[in-house]
Amino acid sequence: LRGNYNQGFIAPSIFTLYGPAFASNPNVVINGQPGQVQTQVTGNPDLQPSDTEQLGAGIVITPKNLIKNLTLSVDYYYITEDKLAVSDAQSVANSLNALGSASPFAPGFTFQDGSRLTTTAPNQVTIDNWLNATYPWQPAGALRTSGLDFSFNYVIPDDVTHGWGKITINATA
């Protein structure tokens, strides 16, 4: 039997911390209306490291009495990573539309006519009046993965290889 548990962190990349702004044209839905908008994502020097957690457990079986030189194993893994830096235009659009000028993204938002959000009234932002939103990377992403690894390993006996060396057959899925 084997097992492990680890906690760690991954520092944000230099690009997400201090990289230049880059333009993007993501699709978002505002008040049920889908459309493509213009955004600029900027570096965010306030990003913190993402947290990671790993868990693993497994078993190795060597049935010497049944099949000599055979080893079978199965391993379970579960990995998480939280606070990943992401550019989530839909969350920005939702915040701007719900909070108006109270949205943390309001200072970077511009309407088609060049004006900015000035009131906290909801539903001011639409697909048709959106010119640009500039906002930093946000620590809102997460990764979760889990699975099973199966392994089969068989060493062909020396009396079969007749001095040709050690031959191993291995398969992992």
Side-chain angles (χ1 to χ4, degrees):
L1 294 177
R2 57 184 168 200
N4 66 62
Y5 176 79
N6 302 293
Q7 287 183 320
F9 68 92
I10 299 174
S13 72
I14 296 295
F15 182 79
T16 57
L17 290 170
Y18 305 107
F22 70 91
S24 181
N25 297 99
N27 289 306
V28 297
V29 177
I30 301 174
N31 293 329
Q33 182 183 7
Q36 193 171 29
V37 296
Q38 180 176 312
T39 65
Q40 279 190 307
V41 182
T42 62
N44 183 351
D46 295 326
L47 285 175
Q48 298 296 309
S50 60
D51 297 320
T52 64
E53 185 175 54
Q54 304 168 8
L55 169 71
I59 186 168
V60 179
I61 300 170
T62 306
K64 293 180 182 179
N65 294 338
L66 295 175
I67 302 174
K68 188 177 177 185
N69 300 329
L70 174 67
T71 302
L72 303 169
S73 67
V74 62
D75 292 284
Y76 169 77
Y77 61 88
Y78 177 76
I79 303 168
T80 66
E81 186 177 357
D82 295 319
K83 298 190 289 186
L84 289 167
V86 295
S87 166
D88 184 1
Q90 185 64 59
S91 292
V92 171
N94 293 347
S95 176
L96 289 167
N97 196 44
L99 304 174
S101 61
S103 167
F105 306 109
F109 179 78
T110 309
F111 287 109
Q112 284 285 344
D113 64 4
S115 64
R116 299 198 176 266
L117 287 163
T118 57
T119 71
T120 58
N123 301 319
Q124 298 178 67
V125 178
T126 68
I127 293 295
D128 296 327
N129 69 10
W130 179 303
L131 175 62
N132 188 56
T134 300
Y135 57 91
W137 290 97
Q138 298 296 307
L143 169 72
R144 305 270 186 275
T145 186
S146 63
L148 291 171
D149 288 334
F150 298 95
S151 180
F152 162 92
N153 191 66
Y154 180 71
V155 178
I156 298 176
D158 292 335
D159 59 335
V160 174
T161 62
H162 303 291
W164 285 69
K166 182 177 180 181
I167 300 174
T168 302
I169 299 170
N170 185 288
T172 302

